Amino acid sequence: MEPAAGLVSRSKLLRPAASTTPDTYLISDEDTVYEQDILRDPSSIKPWLSYIDFKLQYGSVLEQAYVLERACTQLPRSYKLWKMYLEYRIKHLGKLSFTSDPAEFHKVNALFASALILLNKMPRIWELFLSFLMCQPVVTFARRVFDSALRALPVSQHHRIWALYLKFAKAASGKTAISIWRRYVQVHPEESERYIEILINAKHFTDAVKAYIDILNNPRFKSKEGKSVYQLWMDMVDLMVTRARDIDTSPDTGVDVAKIIKSGIDRFADQRGKLWASLATYWVVRGSFERSRDVFEEAITNAMTVRDFTLAFDSYAEFEESIIGKLLDKASTGSAKGTAAEAADFDLDIRMKRFEQLMDRRPFLINDVLLRQDPNNVAEWEKRVGLWGNNKEEIVNTYTDAIVAIHPKRAVGKLVDLWLNYAKFYEAGEDLETARTIFDKAVKVPFKTVDELAHVWCEWASMELRSNFFDKAVQLLAKATEAPKRSTVDYNDDTLTPQKRLHKSSRLWSAYVDLVESTKGLADTCQVYARIFQLKIATPHNVVNYAKLLEEHSFFDKSFRVYEQGLRLFKYPVAFEIWNLYLSKAVEQKMDLERLRDLFEQALDDCPPKLAKTLYMLYAQVEETRGLARHAMRIWDRATQRVAEEDRMEIYEAYITKSASNFGLVSTRQIYEQAIHDLPENQARDMALRFAQMERCLGEVDRARSIYGFASQFCDPRTTPQFWSKFEAFEVKHGNEDTYKEMLRIKRSVQAKYNTDVKFVASQAVTRAKDA
């Protein structure tokens, strides 16, 4: 009850003096019944309600007020009576204004104070009183009543008071409104955005920034407008930038704009460019151009993405251009008036020079950004070297920085190219000693693959060759290929460093053997080749080159042994080319026929059908020229069953040709029959036509007719009209009426067969759909 008691004490002067004489003249004879009911039960509210209802219908204003006041005095804890009385008094003041008759309003205020002494927990009474006060120009008194209401009522009912309090704040505006809203957001922080809006409208920008800081530091805050934390940050930054001159940044306020924006830069990594630009703009608005320039420099040298860099750099360039433009306008105005200042011209020249340097630095700055993103990007380091042009000192520094920064196992791109270009830079400057030093360091780098390390050794040897140090080159590759006599190292074992697996690099050995072959004798070259075969790292190219080298020196048997060594290392399909060369050379050197036959049989044992055609044809040719024709026919016969399906037609044609030339046309009949049986329908049809033509040449008309009849079963008249035209021409020339009719009967039966064949009809439909 303390809040209400305080309210009464503050409003004693507003209450009317108590009357010393009773107003009995306001009681008429008609009221006797109601008075007696009240006397019989003075603690009951019903007699009073009946009395009041009667007076409201038939009594005067004074009588109504008299009865209501007596009822409230008799029953001071009755909410219903007080509410009726207070509403009645407020209604009575409806047409009056506070300026014309303030005493009446003070009397009603005093009545509210009396009612709230015992009814201070009734929110409706408070709402009625507060609504009545909001119609009076008593801001301080009303604010105190609002505060008393909040103290008197439980927290669960405060929302009813705050609804009126906020309306009162809007009407009061100014500091009062801000003070009220400051208290309100302590209870309802979700309304902080409205509070900030009020502060901005009232031009309390420092307090608005503090409010932003409070909600951003509150991890539980959720924007009622659906804004994200970043959007709230940017709203705060925009406010600090646009109102930079109006915000108090003294130590007492706790608002350090630069520190706040930099914390946002750390927090929002994807928006750093925009925030850097905002910080620079803040100093521009404050008129501190040098600080703004420092911010721009820090932004472009610390940007992590090209987008952030572009945003900061463009803002920086625009800033410099605006300053230069103003200085140019000032200089032109001064020259027009004849008051040109030497200091101003000097300042303009400095700024123009600074702007030119800024634009020249742009490609380097972009390259810095990309290297900050990934210092292991070899391509970007190469670009940086190219940016320096002919500046040798900076090129060397760049190569040095790149080598230090790049982790060999994480390098993006070819790290070996960076090392090689570094060495070639000194080679181009004729500083071979430094180039050798770089190569010596490069061969110790743990590259990702052995091939990269081998490439370094090969390029080192190439440099020595270009400088005519042939022996030095041979010694380098000999050192690089040093290996234990029996090496158990697996070339593909990534757990070992490339240096330990280098002696298994076929690329390095190929370069070594080529170098020895061109600078040393045959014996040294053969030793290198022998070592390659011993390590089991020979490639088909090594095999062929070694064999050809021996052939050039007329060591044919040794070259054949090389081919055989290669065939032990490789299987089909790689072995096919080695077999092809080996057999061709063996035939050319007229190797013993039996040995040659054994080689052909070995070659054909595991040969895939797709590769067998060439070997069979060469085998048959050897038998025809050096062996027996019947052996050659058996080889052709084997070939028809062993080659791929797409090569069989060609084999059969060669087989028939060879058989006809050696044993006559009659000997080809069995081959023709076998071909028609083995070949697909399209090829069997052509083979049947050739067979029939051969029989016609031999005068065997009946045999030719039988062949035509047999082939007709897979010749649809609609798709193969050429076959039937030839069949018809044959019957016209060699047959009679009966045979011609038989041909027509066969044609009809074949057509009927294809018309009822489901698979054929479906395939024809698909073909027509594709053609359409």
Side-chain angles (χ1 to χ4, degrees):
M1 293 176 60
E2 290 182 1
L7 181 63
V8 172
S9 64
R10 287 192 295 269
S11 57
K12 282 182 179 179
L13 296 177
L14 304 178
R15 296 177 62 181
S19 178
T20 56
T21 59
D23 298 325
T24 54
Y25 69 93
L26 296 175
I27 302 174
S28 63
D29 295 338
E30 297 174 350
D31 300 337
T32 305
V33 177
Y34 297 103
E35 292 287 346
Q36 290 176 352
D37 289 339
I38 291 170
L39 291 174
R40 279 195 295 269
D41 191 3
S43 62
S44 176
I45 192 175
K46 281 187 177 182
W48 283 109
L49 292 176
S50 300
Y51 197 4
I52 292 169
D53 184 58
F54 171 74
K55 285 297 182 181
L56 290 176
Q57 291 182 22
Y58 304 106
S60 63
V61 174
L62 287 176
E63 291 175 348
Q64 294 170 0
Y66 174 67
V67 173
L68 284 168
E69 186 173 357
R70 284 179 59 202
C72 293
T73 305
Q74 182 71 27
L75 300 173
R77 295 182 180 274
S78 173
Y79 162 77
K80 194 170 187 178
L81 292 175
W82 272 111
K83 184 172 180 295
M84 291 176 65
Y85 186 27
L86 295 172
E87 288 177 346
Y88 174 80
R89 293 296 299 267
I90 292 173
K91 183 179 179 182
H92 180 65
L93 297 176
K95 296 181 180 180
L96 299 177
S97 66
F98 187 88
T99 55
S100 60
D101 197 354
E104 293 297 326
F105 282 88
H106 290 321
K107 291 178 182 179
V108 176
N109 292 342
L111 284 176
F112 271 109
S114 300
L116 288 170
I117 292 175
L118 297 176
L119 301 179
N120 56 75
K121 300 299 181 184
M122 298 297 175
R124 189 66 190 89
I125 301 297
W126 284 109
E127 290 176 348
L128 193 63
F129 188 15
L130 296 172
S131 299
F132 179 64
L133 288 176
M134 288 172 65
C135 301
Q136 306 174 40
V138 285
V139 176
T140 301
F141 180 69
R143 180 173 56 79
R144 291 172 179 172
V145 173
F146 273 110
D147 294 342
S148 299
L150 291 173
R151 286 194 296 271
L153 294 174
V155 177
S156 59
Q157 294 180 347
H158 279 193
H159 65 281
R160 302 175 68 171
I161 305 301
W162 278 115
L164 293 172
Y165 209 173
L166 295 180
K167 290 181 181 179
F168 172 73
K170 184 178 180 180
S173 68
K175 292 184 179 180
T176 302
I178 293 173
S179 176
I180 294 169
W181 270 96
R182 185 182 297 113
R183 291 178 57 194
Y184 180 64
V185 295
Q186 291 177 357
V187 183
H188 298 280
E190 67 275 5
E191 296 292 342
S192 297
E193 290 170 280
R194 288 183 61 191
Y195 173 47
I196 292 171
E197 185 179 349
I198 291 171
L199 289 172
I200 294 173
N201 292 334
K203 298 184 178 180
H204 287 238
F205 302 113
T206 305
D207 293 334
V209 172
K210 289 181 179 179
Y212 269 122
I213 294 173
D214 291 338
I215 63 176
L216 288 170
N217 289 334
N218 183 6
R220 297 182 179 180
F221 177 78
K222 291 185 179 179
S223 171
K224 291 188 71 174
E225 298 179 9
K227 292 183 178 181
S228 64
V229 175
Y230 167 71
Q231 289 174 315
L232 293 172
W233 258 97
M234 293 312 300
D235 290 344
M236 179 181 69
V237 171
D238 291 341
L239 174 63
M240 291 189 295
V241 171
T242 55
R243 297 294 180 178
R245 294 180 179 274
D246 301 322
I247 295 175
D248 184 6
T249 58
S250 61
D252 297 336
T253 61
V255 178
D256 188 343
V257 175
K259 187 176 181 181
I260 291 171
I261 297 179
K262 285 186 177 180
S263 66
I265 292 171
D266 296 335
R267 185 172 183 178
F268 304 103
D270 57 335
Q271 298 294 331
R272 287 179 176 174
K274 189 174 182 180
L275 290 170
W276 278 117
S278 299
L279 179 56
T281 306
Y282 168 78
W283 290 117
V284 171
V285 175
R286 292 289 295 264
S288 181
F289 298 126
E290 291 304 321
R291 282 194 176 185
S292 177
R293 187 175 290 106
D294 293 341
V295 170
F296 277 125
E297 286 290 338
E298 187 177 357
I300 62 178
T301 54
N302 291 292
M304 293 300 295
T305 64
V306 175
R307 183 173 66 89
D308 291 342
F309 169 79
T310 303
L311 183 60
F313 186 87
D314 292 345
S315 301
Y316 191 7
E318 186 178 351
F319 163 71
E320 292 289 354
E321 286 176 351
S322 63
I323 293 179
I324 292 172
K326 291 180 180 178
L327 290 175
L328 287 172
D329 294 340
K330 186 177 180 180
S332 61
T333 304
S335 61
K337 294 181 179 179
T339 59
E342 184 177 349
D345 293 340
F346 180 72
D347 186 25
L348 179 60
D349 292 338
I350 290 177
R351 293 186 181 277
M352 290 289 288
K353 185 66 175 178
R354 182 184 293 167
F355 183 71
E356 291 175 3
Q357 290 178 349
L358 175 64
M359 301 311 292
D360 292 338
R361 288 167 56 204
R362 191 177 193 279
F364 291 94
L365 293 169
I366 292 178
N367 185 259
D368 286 337
V369 172
L370 296 174
L371 289 176
R372 279 194 293 273
Q373 289 178 350
D374 186 5
N376 298 306
N377 192 328
V378 177
E380 292 302 325
W381 283 109
E382 292 284 4
K383 288 180 182 178
R384 190 169 189 82
V385 171
L387 290 174
W388 288 115
N390 296 322
N391 192 333
K392 295 182 179 180
E393 183 179 354
E394 291 297 338
I395 289 174
V396 172
N397 292 336
T398 302
Y399 275 123
T400 305
D401 294 341
I403 290 168
V404 172
I406 297 175
H407 191 285
K409 296 296 184 182
R410 300 174 189 168
V412 179
K414 294 183 177 181
L415 177 60
V416 63
D417 290 344
L418 187 70
W419 279 99
L420 296 179
N421 292 334
Y422 190 15
K424 288 177 181 177
F425 171 75
Y426 281 103
E427 183 187 359
E430 299 181 354
D431 188 355
L432 292 181
E433 288 302 321
T434 306
R436 289 187 181 113
T437 304
I438 293 170
F439 272 119
D440 186 58
K441 292 181 179 179
V443 297
K444 298 174 184 176
V445 174
F447 292 103
K448 289 182 180 179
T449 62
V450 179
D451 192 60
E452 290 180 298
L453 181 59
H455 187 30
V456 175
W457 280 103
C458 292
E459 287 295 327
W460 191 358
S462 299
M463 184 193 75
E464 299 294 349
L465 291 174
R466 288 192 294 269
S467 303
N468 296 323
F469 294 104
F470 301 108
D471 293 337
K472 182 75 173 176
V474 174
Q475 291 172 6
L476 281 174
L477 293 184
K479 180 181 178 181
T481 54
E482 285 180 355
K485 189 173 182 180
R486 290 186 179 181
S487 175
T488 58
V489 173
D490 183 4
Y491 179 80
N492 297 313
D493 186 1
D494 292 334
T495 58
L496 300 176
T497 61
Q499 284 75 9
K500 293 182 179 180
R501 295 177 284 155
L502 180 63
H503 63 278
K504 286 290 189 80
S505 171
S506 58
R507 175 178 183 174
L508 186 62
W509 278 101
S510 297
Y512 182 31
V513 76
D514 290 342
L515 181 59
V516 171
E517 184 179 347
S518 60
T519 58
K520 302 291 183 180
L522 178 63
D524 294 333
T525 307
C526 290
Q527 288 180 359
V528 176
Y529 273 119
R531 186 59 175 148
I532 291 174
F533 280 96
Q534 186 181 6
L535 292 171
K536 297 181 180 180
I537 58 172
T539 63
H541 188 65
N542 295 138
V543 174
V544 174
N545 286 348
Y546 190 14
K548 286 184 177 181
L549 176 66
L550 293 172
E551 289 170 15
E552 290 173 359
H553 291 81
S554 301
F555 293 105
F556 297 107
D557 289 338
K558 289 185 178 180
S559 71
F560 293 157
R561 285 197 292 271
V562 170
Y563 280 124
E564 291 171 0
Q565 280 184 286
L567 290 169
R568 284 194 292 270
L569 292 174
F570 302 104
K571 302 298 181 183
Y572 283 101
V574 177
F576 171 74
E577 294 298 336
I578 300 177
W579 273 117
N580 199 12
L581 288 169
Y582 183 18
L583 294 172
S584 299
K585 295 296 180 181
V587 171
E588 183 181 336
Q589 296 300 321
K590 296 183 179 181
M591 182 186 286
D592 180 67
L593 183 58
E594 290 302 322
R595 183 182 174 190
L596 197 56
R597 285 173 177 165
D598 290 341
L599 290 177
F600 273 110
E601 292 299 333
Q602 291 177 27
L604 292 170
D605 277 345
D606 299 322
C607 184
K610 289 185 178 182
L611 304 174
K613 182 185 74 171
T614 304
L615 297 180
Y616 273 110
M617 294 180 75
L618 183 60
Y619 192 7
Q621 183 182 357
V622 170
E623 284 293 349
E624 285 182 36
T625 55
R626 297 180 58 189
L628 299 174
R630 291 193 178 278
H631 287 178
M633 294 303 104
R634 283 198 294 269
I635 293 169
W636 284 114
D637 186 60
R638 285 171 59 191
T640 59
Q641 305 303 316
R642 296 287 300 276
V643 299
E645 186 175 339
E646 59 269 17
D647 295 328
R648 284 184 182 177
M649 185 67 176
E650 184 180 353
I651 293 295
Y652 270 114
E653 290 174 349
Y655 187 12
I656 291 169
T657 302
K658 297 297 181 180
S659 179
S661 62
N662 290 323
F663 302 102
L665 292 175
V666 177
S667 66
T668 62
R669 284 175 176 166
Q670 186 179 357
I671 302 172
Y672 272 118
E673 292 173 0
Q674 183 180 344
I676 293 171
H677 180 269
D678 292 343
L679 293 174
E681 289 185 356
N682 292 336
Q683 296 177 346
R685 185 186 310 117
D686 297 336
M687 192 61 72
L689 291 174
R690 294 183 185 183
F691 190 12
Q693 183 63 29
M694 186 205 72
E695 294 293 354
R696 287 175 62 185
C697 294
L698 294 175
E700 297 289 345
V701 175
D702 291 337
R703 291 181 66 87
R705 183 177 291 110
S706 298
I707 294 168
Y708 275 120
F710 177 79
S712 65
Q713 61 184 329
F714 44 79
C715 297
D716 182 13
R718 293 171 297 181
T719 58
T720 57
Q722 302 86 355
F723 173 83
W724 291 100
S725 62
K726 290 182 180 181
F727 194 0
E728 183 179 1
F730 170 79
E731 292 295 346
V732 169
K733 185 175 182 180
H734 299 285
N736 53 36
E737 184 178 356
D738 292 336
T739 57
Y740 188 82
K741 288 181 179 180
E742 179 65 17
M743 183 273 294
L744 294 177
R745 185 192 65 76
I746 293 172
K747 183 177 182 180
R748 287 194 297 271
S749 65
V750 171
Q751 187 168 0
K753 171 191 171 185
Y754 278 101
N755 285 339
T756 57
D757 190 340
V758 177
K759 292 183 179 179
F760 177 78
V761 172
S763 64
Q764 291 296 310
V766 172
T767 304
R768 286 195 297 271
K770 289 182 178 178
D771 294 339

